[in-house]
Amino acid sequence: LDYQHVQVPFEITLWIMLASLAKIGFHLYNKLPSVVPESCLLIFVGLIMGGIIYGLNDRSPPVMDSDIFFLYLLPPIVLDAGYFMPSRPFFENIGTILLYAVVGTIWNVFGIGFSLYGICQVKAFRLQDVSLLHNLLFGSLIAAVDPVAVLAVFEEIHVNEKLHILVFGESLLNDAVTVVLYKLFRSFCEMPTIKSMDVFAGVGKFFVVGLGGVLVGLSFGFTAAFTTRFTKDIRVIEPLFVFLYSYLSYLTAEMFHLSGIVAIISCAMGMKRYVEANISLKSHTTVKYFMKMWSSVSDTLIFIFLGVSTIGENHEWNWPYICFTVIFCLIWRALGVLVLTFFVNRFHVNTITSKDQFIIAYGGLRGAICFSLVFLLPDFHRKKLFIAATTVVILFTVFIQGMTIRPLVDLLAVKRKRETAPTVGEQIHIRFLDHLLAGIEDISGHWGQYYWKDKLEYFNSKYLQKILLREYDQPKSSIVLLYEKLERKHAIELAQAGQLSHGPAHPSFLCSAFLCSSSDRTVIRDQKLEDTLNPDVLDNIQEILARNLYRIRRTGPAYNRHTLPGDSEPTEHAKEILILRHKSL
Amino acid sequence: LDYQHVQVPFEITLWIMLASLAKIGFHLYNKLPSVVPESCLLIFVGLIMGGIIYGLNDRSPPVMDSDIFFLYLLPPIVLDAGYFMPSRPFFENIGTILLYAVVGTIWNVFGIGFSLYGICQVKAFRLQDVSLLHNLLFGSLIAAVDPVAVLAVFEEIHVNEKLHILVFGESLLNDAVTVVLYKLFRSFCEMPTIKSMDVFAGVGKFFVVGLGGVLVGLSFGFTAAFTTRFTKDIRVIEPLFVFLYSYLSYLTAEMFHLSGIVAIISCAMGMKRYVEANISLKSHTTVKYFMKMWSSVSDTLIFIFLGVSTIGENHEWNWPYICFTVIFCLIWRALGVLVLTFFVNRFHVNTITSKDQFIIAYGGLRGAICFSLVFLLPDFHRKKLFIAATTVVILFTVFIQGMTIRPLVDLLAVKRKRETAPTVGEQIHIRFLDHLLAGIEDISGHWGQYYWKDKLEYFNSKYLQKILLREYDQPKSSIVLLYEKLERKHAIELAQAGQLSHGPAHPSFLCSAFLCSSSDRTVIRDQKLEDTLNPDVLDNIQEILARNLYRIRRTGPAYNRHTLPGDSEPTEHAKEILILRHKSL
């Protein structure tokens, strides 16, 4: 027996196997996951395993290595989150999300840090040796909402899309703030004196870390898209590029002390559209499947490890500090959400209701990121107290909040996600309104969200697509393609119903589709067939129609005041923009 | 900049990226790969990279780590080979393959070992310090044909299926022999005296290593199939089990010093059938795609590393030893193939032609396995000579033989693989003949290949399927399913040709299919549609029809002499076998 030789891969495989089998086990009994979130069950499995290891070896079980967490377990989850991010609600609420992520997190860090420092001043608690800086450092790691925990809980409770994206987007984007504040306070702890310069440098660094992450991510994303232009003859390695480039973007960002999470999300969101157009359908299935698989396994492993690492002798128990940490985490989050939402609601028509605010505040779960960060702390005499407090906060949020959030959502009758996908008609209307609003903004000289979206779309179809896509197919033919697809669908249905005639048939509908240039007929047919189409086909139809609508707006004469039909050249367009800017000033 | 923190994953990702980009690069220029095999190009890239590293650092570039090769790079390739192994030609030729793999490899080992020892006795060559045991040890590592190299070259030259499976099967199954002989001679080298007991133990060990590998593989394979019975609610982690269990089988076999290659192949071949039936279509696409992707990347990395590792100061040059190694490798392989084929041809109707024999002998390429084994040798004063000789043999076989084998195949007009897939009619005929022959063997009491195949099929449908498959669906309905599939296919064609009528149609064909119980009509329709069906559909049809034919034989009254129609109980069957055995004795 030569165990040592195969130990590393063998143990990794066994852990992954354990995680997968645990997942299967939970799903065999359907009743359990409907009451207790999977994350709680997994932590529970981890606690039992940790207990067994502790009992057998009589020493603390191995703690989840922070390097393993940040380098191998976290990236798949974030990649999956970024790749499947619903981009429309995300960009519609980007302002609010950033406000929560940046201002909210800073608010929480300082709120928790200062009030814990206040607690430390009470002599009876015997905490006077914990300095303000250490409290702020602790605040910086405990303040951030954890994307893994949020995803695990919110995926099961199906709240409405906006609420979901607000909590989830915040948990992803606060990484930049957490990274900066955590590293800032850690280096302050080690410095003899702190100059005001250092504080300003820290503020400046936040922009570098966040925007740098976006830049790194986008450049890797576009490179990935460009690479998949050339994989036509060797389809089999296409999925690899999606994973390799995203992972490289994460590692590169980490290497330069930028936000890896922000980088990998930008990379995934940047590449998705082009990569999907370039790679084959089977490659795409593989990419989607493997991403989901990997993130699901990582997620499972994280929660199991969290449970295992909880057991042991790493903790120093101090009732007041730990209890007040939990209380302050709850209070400052609630206050932060209330205050920020007050300002957000003043500038929006579609306001965030008080029920939604409650769920946002209550959904601020902490998870494995805090846990890994607290173990990365430099050794000092109160580290074990911080570890204990972090563990309690995580277990409290995941177990108590995670288990009660579903009944609360039911009780408050929070608006749920709509069960049915929007009909094609609705989608077309939304798109149409987008273009209409972009046109209105264009004319009125108000540069809002629709205007920029439209500009981006123009830039995309004019330059990016030509560089990044394999063949820039004429959108004109796509309506015909759509028609063919629907026709095929219809034929399959006829065959399944056994109503197919085999003789030579009537003059085809396809010919008439060629003759009839308007897309109205297709739209009407859509509506009829719509409930028999699956979501993938619907998405596709939506895309095609949207692109065509866009083209109509771009090429149509009625939308441009200053150009004659047919001569809307880029230079003309530039002139138009100048005139508009002049007017708006 | 914090490079050290991300170094390991970053460099791994970069190497994989380099490999993938190299692959894309070769395929961009179509002319190059048609002359030079990809493996040569990759070694060439590796040589250049090695040269650059050597030039920059002024020291030998890092050598491919044998552990990395055996634990991480080899398993994906072998898994892919085992999973996509064409099982029919493999089992038809299993005797010949085993003869080549076991006897042929032993012949080569001793042939090369003893004749090199003879060379070492020539005083002028200054090799007298290389003992017989060391020569045999060297022979044991240089004798084995390499599956990675064979696959890389033979996938490009498209020889006929039998020839391909003979060379490829040999290269896979000789692993057991190589493992035993290599470890045996290595331990002999370290022992002070060798007893005859040790030699016998070595012979016995061969069976343990080979059959143990098969056993480990099959048990993991069946466990994998059993596990996928329960993944219905959580489709997304299905592909994981295929990879995890195969990898575990490999690692477990390696742990017990069994043949990992044999284990992973048995695992893949054992699980394939059941896993495919259990998992969803998308999971299956992912499994196939990822397997191909992984093996293709591993393969690329191996050849690049081979090139990189060649550069450096690991070599001791001795002209006679190196030249004679190459010559003996060629001679002993040729002799072995000739002698063994002579015996094989005496017992087979379908003989191996002399052209085929030449290609088998010439296709005995050496590759990365030899290379890794030579670096695993214990340190002794002539190790660098062995490394040099191994490198030369690998480069000679991959470059000279690999590049000339395609022109030789053209020149000799070796029978190629048939371009078109066999028609459904042909396939049905083959299956029908199989069942007929099984029946004849059954009646005549001759227990040949068809008899055992039939018994295995019976055991499979009676027990294994019920344990391992999610729902044991009635095969009766599958012909109806097939008919529906064909009907749908036809409908799509009609729609594409624009000949679909939209009115209420004639009485359906489907109804008449229900009424007409014989499968003849379907078969006739198959033939008509056959050239419009893709290979996947064809495979499926073949499977369904084969299963139905099998059922006919099982349940039909005409084939069993001793039972009345309808009462062929297992106990009756056992009686029948007893009577047959009695007669044949």
Side-chain angles (χ1 to χ4, degrees):
Chain A
L1 189 76
D2 180 11
Y3 182 60
Q4 215 169 354
H5 176 57
V6 297
Q7 189 178 10
V8 177
F10 196 76
E11 288 184 357
I12 294 173
T13 317
L14 276 188
W15 274 112
I16 298 176
M17 183 72 95
L18 172 78
S20 320
L21 290 178
K23 256 193 140 66
I24 289 190
F26 298 152
H27 279 266
L28 277 186
Y29 300 98
N30 283 327
K31 281 187 183 166
L32 206 58
S34 66
V35 182
V36 188
E38 212 181 86
S39 44
C40 299
L41 290 174
L42 290 168
I43 290 183
F44 198 69
V45 169
L47 285 173
I48 292 172
M49 290 211 51
I52 293 172
I53 297 173
Y54 190 53
L56 290 178
N57 292 348
D58 209 25
R59 59 190 178 85
S60 306
V63 168
M64 169 159 63
D65 191 311
S66 299
D67 263 4
I68 291 180
F69 173 75
F70 282 113
L71 291 183
Y72 305 107
L73 294 177
L74 189 58
I77 299 178
V78 183
L79 173 62
D80 176 66
Y83 198 82
F84 293 100
M85 176 85 81
S87 58
R88 193 185 164 85
F90 179 75
F91 284 114
E92 263 176 2
N93 298 299
I94 184 82
T96 318
I97 292 170
L98 278 176
L99 197 70
Y100 284 143
V102 180
V103 183
T105 307
I106 293 174
W107 165 286
N108 274 320
V109 170
F110 285 97
I112 296 170
F114 278 111
S115 37
L116 279 176
Y117 182 63
I119 295 299
C120 290
Q121 300 314 306
V122 181
K123 277 192 179 162
F125 297 160
R126 291 191 203 157
L127 289 160
Q128 280 147 308
D129 54 332
V130 187
S131 70
L132 175 62
L133 261 182
H134 276 126
N135 272 317
L136 283 173
L137 179 56
F138 180 63
S140 75
L141 68 89
I142 205 76
V145 176
D146 186 83
V148 183
V150 165
L151 208 59
V153 166
F154 273 71
E155 268 194 349
E156 292 179 6
I157 58 174
H158 306 292
V159 292
N160 64 71
E161 211 172 22
K162 187 177 172 184
L163 186 51
H164 183 259
I165 203 75
L166 285 180
V167 182
F168 181 51
E170 177 202 341
S171 71
L172 284 173
L173 297 189
N174 66 20
D175 180 59
V177 182
T178 311
V179 167
V180 171
L181 287 180
Y182 178 77
K183 286 188 178 158
L184 198 71
F185 290 130
R186 209 175 61 173
S187 52
F188 282 0
C189 282
E190 284 159 358
M191 271 193 250
T193 55
I194 300 156
K195 292 171 193 160
S196 58
M197 254 312 285
D198 295 326
V199 178
F200 283 111
V203 175
K205 216 176 162 187
F206 162 71
F207 289 98
V208 175
V209 166
L211 295 179
V214 173
L215 220 74
V216 168
L218 283 183
S219 50
F220 273 99
F222 288 140
T223 319
F226 187 70
T227 311
T228 51
R229 264 188 77 160
F230 304 103
T231 51
K232 201 176 163 189
D233 297 322
I234 183 153
R235 293 282 189 194
V236 93
I237 56 171
E238 279 175 346
L240 207 59
F241 287 109
V242 175
F243 298 109
L244 286 179
Y245 278 109
S246 335
Y247 193 43
L248 274 184
S249 79
Y250 181 84
L251 293 177
T252 310
E254 288 284 305
M255 197 158 71
F256 290 105
H257 296 292
L258 306 174
S259 165
I261 293 184
V262 171
I264 203 168
I265 286 177
S266 328
C267 179
M269 291 180 86
M271 79 164 81
K272 190 186 181 192
R273 180 168 184 172
Y274 307 105
V275 166
E276 275 184 9
N278 278 337
I279 67 179
S280 76
L281 194 68
K282 279 190 179 176
S283 298
H284 191 208
T285 307
T286 308
V287 168
K288 284 196 291 186
Y289 229 78
F290 229 78
M291 229 174 241
K292 283 274 168 228
M293 194 174 94
W294 237 331
S295 76
S296 140
V297 168
S298 277
D299 173 279
T300 314
L301 279 176
I302 287 173
F303 284 114
I304 289 182
F305 283 156
L306 211 56
V308 171
S309 307
T310 304
I311 306 287
E313 287 148 359
N314 294 316
H315 307 288
E316 180 199 335
W317 202 261
N318 180 307
W319 275 104
Y321 196 82
I322 289 170
C323 291
F324 277 108
T325 306
V326 174
I327 293 167
F328 287 140
C329 280
L330 290 174
I331 291 177
W332 284 103
R333 168 128 191 115
L335 280 179
V337 169
L338 276 179
V339 172
L340 291 178
T341 316
F342 174 75
F343 288 108
V344 168
N345 278 347
R346 286 192 60 176
F347 295 101
H348 280 81
V349 183
N350 190 1
T351 57
I352 302 166
T353 65
S354 48
K355 281 177 192 171
D356 284 359
Q357 287 173 42
F358 176 76
I359 295 296
I360 293 173
Y362 202 74
L365 308 179
R366 268 67 163 187
I369 291 185
C370 313
F371 197 79
S372 303
L373 285 178
V374 80
F375 273 99
L376 278 181
L377 283 180
D379 275 322
F380 77 110
H381 64 289
R382 286 291 194 163
K383 188 174 171 182
K384 287 191 173 183
L385 174 64
F386 285 0
I387 293 177
T390 310
T391 309
V392 169
V393 170
I394 293 170
L395 293 185
F396 180 85
T397 52
V398 172
F399 274 86
I400 311 290
Q401 291 179 219
M403 280 169 73
T404 50
I405 199 165
R406 196 199 308 239
L408 278 173
V409 165
D410 291 340
L411 197 73
L412 294 174
V414 172
K415 206 178 144 204
R416 296 301 184 92
K417 205 164 89 182
R418 46 185 294 177
E419 289 296 313
T420 53
T423 62
V424 176
E426 278 177 293
Q427 290 179 344
I428 292 169
H429 259 90
I430 292 167
R431 295 285 166 144
F432 180 69
L433 276 174
D434 282 359
H435 291 296
L436 193 69
L437 284 167
I440 291 170
E441 285 187 353
D442 211 356
I443 293 165
S444 68
H446 167 78
W447 295 358
Q449 162 192 346
Y450 297 102
Y451 175 81
W452 284 112
K453 198 175 163 190
D454 198 66
K455 277 281 160 292
L456 209 64
E457 195 59 45
Y458 180 70
F459 178 70
N460 168 52
S461 69
K462 194 83 185 171
Y463 304 105
L464 281 182
Q465 278 193 356
K466 285 179 189 166
I467 300 168
L468 300 178
L469 291 190
R470 185 168 291 144
E471 49 223 6
Y472 181 62
D473 61 338
Q474 293 301 316
K476 245 177 204 165
S477 65
S478 58
I479 270 198
V480 177
L481 283 175
L482 169 65
Y483 179 77
E484 279 172 8
K485 188 174 248 163
L486 289 171
E487 189 82 334
R488 217 174 305 144
K489 180 87 197 163
H490 182 56
I492 291 169
E493 281 160 25
L494 280 182
Q496 276 166 344
Q499 296 192 316
L500 195 62
S501 80
H502 286 265
H506 314 296
S508 152
F509 264 38
L510 199 63
C511 305
S512 50
F514 275 111
L515 295 173
C516 134
S517 61
S518 97
S519 64
D520 294 349
R521 282 194 54 248
T522 319
V523 175
I524 295 162
R525 282 181 53 77
D526 284 346
Q527 288 287 30
K528 252 187 357 196
L529 280 170
E530 166 238 314
D531 33 64
T532 59
L533 292 172
N534 63 17
D536 278 359
V537 176
L538 274 179
D539 280 358
N540 202 357
I541 291 173
Q542 175 195 340
E543 278 308 307
I544 290 163
L545 290 175
R547 214 186 298 148
N548 284 285
L549 274 172
Y550 175 74
R551 270 185 67 82
I552 290 166
R553 178 171 131 56
R554 270 289 143 215
T555 56
Y559 293 90
N560 265 329
R561 282 191 307 162
H562 302 283
T563 51
L564 288 170
D567 65 340
S568 80
E569 290 294 310
T571 50
E572 292 292 316
H573 207 84
K575 256 190 223 163
E576 188 192 335
I577 291 171
L578 274 176
I579 292 164
L580 284 171
R581 181 184 286 161
H582 187 73
K583 280 200 177 176
S584 71
L585 282 175
Chain B
L1 190 76
D2 181 11
Y3 182 60
Q4 215 169 356
H5 176 57
V6 297
Q7 189 177 11
V8 177
F10 197 75
E11 288 184 358
I12 293 173
T13 317
L14 275 188
W15 273 112
I16 299 176
M17 184 72 95
L18 172 78
S20 320
L21 291 178
K23 257 193 139 66
I24 290 190
F26 297 152
H27 280 266
L28 277 185
Y29 300 97
N30 283 326
K31 280 187 184 168
L32 206 56
S34 65
V35 182
V36 189
E38 212 181 86
S39 44
C40 300
L41 289 173
L42 290 167
I43 291 183
F44 198 69
V45 168
L47 286 172
I48 292 172
M49 290 211 52
I52 293 171
I53 297 173
Y54 189 53
L56 291 178
N57 291 349
D58 210 23
R59 60 192 177 85
S60 307
V63 168
M64 169 158 63
D65 190 311
S66 299
D67 263 3
I68 290 180
F69 174 75
F70 281 114
L71 291 182
Y72 305 106
L73 294 177
L74 190 58
I77 299 178
V78 183
L79 173 62
D80 177 66
Y83 198 81
F84 293 100
M85 176 85 81
S87 58
R88 192 185 165 85
F90 179 74
F91 284 113
E92 264 177 3
N93 298 298
I94 185 82
T96 317
I97 292 171
L98 277 176
L99 196 71
Y100 284 143
V102 180
V103 183
T105 307
I106 294 175
W107 164 288
N108 274 320
V109 170
F110 285 97
I112 295 171
F114 279 112
S115 38
L116 279 176
Y117 182 62
I119 294 299
C120 289
Q121 301 314 307
V122 180
K123 276 192 179 162
F125 295 159
R126 291 189 203 157
L127 290 160
Q128 279 146 309
D129 54 332
V130 186
S131 69
L132 176 61
L133 262 181
H134 275 126
N135 271 317
L136 283 173
L137 179 56
F138 180 64
S140 75
L141 69 88
I142 204 77
V145 175
D146 186 82
V148 183
V150 164
L151 208 60
V153 165
F154 274 70
E155 269 195 347
E156 291 180 6
I157 59 174
H158 306 293
V159 291
N160 63 73
E161 212 173 22
K162 187 176 172 183
L163 186 51
H164 183 258
I165 204 74
L166 285 181
V167 183
F168 181 50
E170 179 202 340
S171 71
L172 285 173
L173 297 190
N174 65 20
D175 179 58
V177 182
T178 311
V179 166
V180 171
L181 287 180
Y182 177 78
K183 286 187 179 160
L184 198 72
F185 289 130
R186 210 174 61 173
S187 52
F188 282 0
C189 281
E190 285 160 356
M191 271 193 249
T193 55
I194 300 156
K195 292 172 195 159
S196 58
M197 256 310 285
D198 295 327
V199 178
F200 283 111
V203 175
K205 216 177 164 187
F206 162 70
F207 289 98
V208 175
V209 167
L211 295 180
V214 172
L215 221 74
V216 168
L218 283 184
S219 49
F220 274 99
F222 288 140
T223 317
F226 187 70
T227 310
T228 51
R229 263 187 78 159
F230 304 103
T231 51
K232 200 176 163 189
D233 296 321
I234 183 152
R235 292 283 190 195
V236 93
I237 57 169
E238 280 175 345
L240 207 59
F241 287 109
V242 176
F243 298 110
L244 286 180
Y245 278 110
S246 337
Y247 193 45
L248 273 185
S249 78
Y250 181 84
L251 293 177
T252 311
E254 289 282 306
M255 197 158 70
F256 292 105
H257 296 292
L258 306 174
S259 165
I261 292 184
V262 171
I264 204 169
I265 286 177
S266 327
C267 180
M269 291 180 85
M271 80 163 83
K272 190 184 182 192
R273 180 169 183 171
Y274 307 106
V275 166
E276 276 184 8
N278 279 337
I279 66 179
S280 76
L281 194 69
K282 278 190 179 175
S283 298
H284 191 208
T285 306
T286 308
V287 168
K288 285 197 290 186
Y289 229 77
F290 230 77
M291 229 174 241
K292 283 273 168 230
M293 194 174 95
W294 237 331
S295 76
S296 140
V297 168
S298 276
D299 172 278
T300 314
L301 280 176
I302 288 173
F303 285 113
I304 290 182
F305 282 157
L306 212 56
V308 171
S309 307
T310 304
I311 305 287
E313 285 148 2
N314 293 317
H315 306 288
E316 181 199 335
W317 201 260
N318 179 309
W319 274 104
Y321 196 82
I322 288 170
C323 291
F324 276 109
T325 306
V326 175
I327 294 168
F328 287 142
C329 281
L330 290 174
I331 290 178
W332 285 104
R333 169 129 191 115
L335 280 179
V337 170
L338 276 179
V339 173
L340 291 177
T341 316
F342 173 75
F343 287 108
V344 168
N345 278 347
R346 285 193 59 176
F347 295 101
H348 280 82
V349 183
N350 190 0
T351 57
I352 301 166
T353 64
S354 48
K355 281 177 193 173
D356 285 358
Q357 286 174 43
F358 176 75
I359 296 296
I360 292 173
Y362 202 74
L365 308 179
R366 268 67 163 186
I369 291 185
C370 312
F371 196 79
S372 302
L373 285 178
V374 79
F375 273 98
L376 278 181
L377 282 180
D379 275 323
F380 77 109
H381 64 289
R382 287 290 194 164
K383 187 175 170 182
K384 287 192 172 182
L385 174 63
F386 285 1
I387 293 177
T390 310
T391 309
V392 170
V393 170
I394 292 170
L395 293 186
F396 180 84
T397 52
V398 172
F399 274 85
I400 311 289
Q401 291 178 221
M403 281 169 73
T404 50
I405 199 165
R406 195 197 309 238
L408 279 174
V409 165
D410 290 340
L411 197 73
L412 294 173
V414 171
K415 206 178 144 203
R416 296 300 185 92
K417 204 163 90 183
R418 46 186 294 178
E419 289 296 312
T420 53
T423 62
V424 175
E426 277 177 294
Q427 289 177 344
I428 292 169
H429 259 89
I430 292 168
R431 294 283 166 146
F432 179 69
L433 277 174
D434 282 358
H435 291 297
L436 194 67
L437 284 169
I440 291 170
E441 285 187 354
D442 211 356
I443 293 165
S444 69
H446 167 80
W447 296 358
Q449 163 192 343
Y450 296 100
Y451 175 81
W452 284 113
K453 198 175 163 189
D454 199 65
K455 277 281 160 291
L456 208 65
E457 194 60 44
Y458 180 69
F459 178 72
N460 168 53
S461 70
K462 194 84 184 172
Y463 304 106
L464 283 182
Q465 279 194 356
K466 285 179 189 166
I467 301 168
L468 301 178
L469 290 190
R470 186 167 293 145
E471 48 224 4
Y472 181 63
D473 61 338
Q474 293 301 317
K476 246 176 202 165
S477 64
S478 57
I479 270 196
V480 178
L481 284 175
L482 168 66
Y483 180 77
E484 278 172 9
K485 188 176 248 162
L486 289 170
E487 189 82 336
R488 217 174 305 145
K489 179 86 198 163
H490 182 56
I492 291 170
E493 282 160 25
L494 280 182
Q496 277 167 342
Q499 296 192 315
L500 195 62
S501 81
H502 287 265
H506 314 295
S508 153
F509 264 37
L510 200 62
C511 304
S512 49
F514 274 112
L515 295 173
C516 133
S517 60
S518 96
S519 64
D520 295 350
R521 283 195 52 249
T522 320
V523 175
I524 295 161
R525 282 182 54 78
D526 285 346
Q527 289 287 31
K528 253 187 358 196
L529 280 170
E530 164 239 313
D531 33 65
T532 59
L533 294 172
N534 63 18
D536 277 358
V537 176
L538 273 179
D539 280 358
N540 203 357
I541 291 172
Q542 177 193 340
E543 279 307 309
I544 290 163
L545 290 174
R547 214 188 299 149
N548 283 284
L549 274 172
Y550 175 75
R551 270 184 68 82
I552 289 166
R553 178 169 133 54
R554 270 287 143 216
T555 57
Y559 293 90
N560 264 329
R561 281 190 306 161
H562 301 283
T563 51
L564 288 170
D567 64 342
S568 80
E569 292 293 311
T571 50
E572 292 290 317
H573 207 82
K575 258 190 224 164
E576 187 193 335
I577 291 171
L578 273 176
I579 293 164
L580 285 171
R581 183 185 284 161
H582 188 72
K583 280 201 177 177
S584 71
L585 281 174

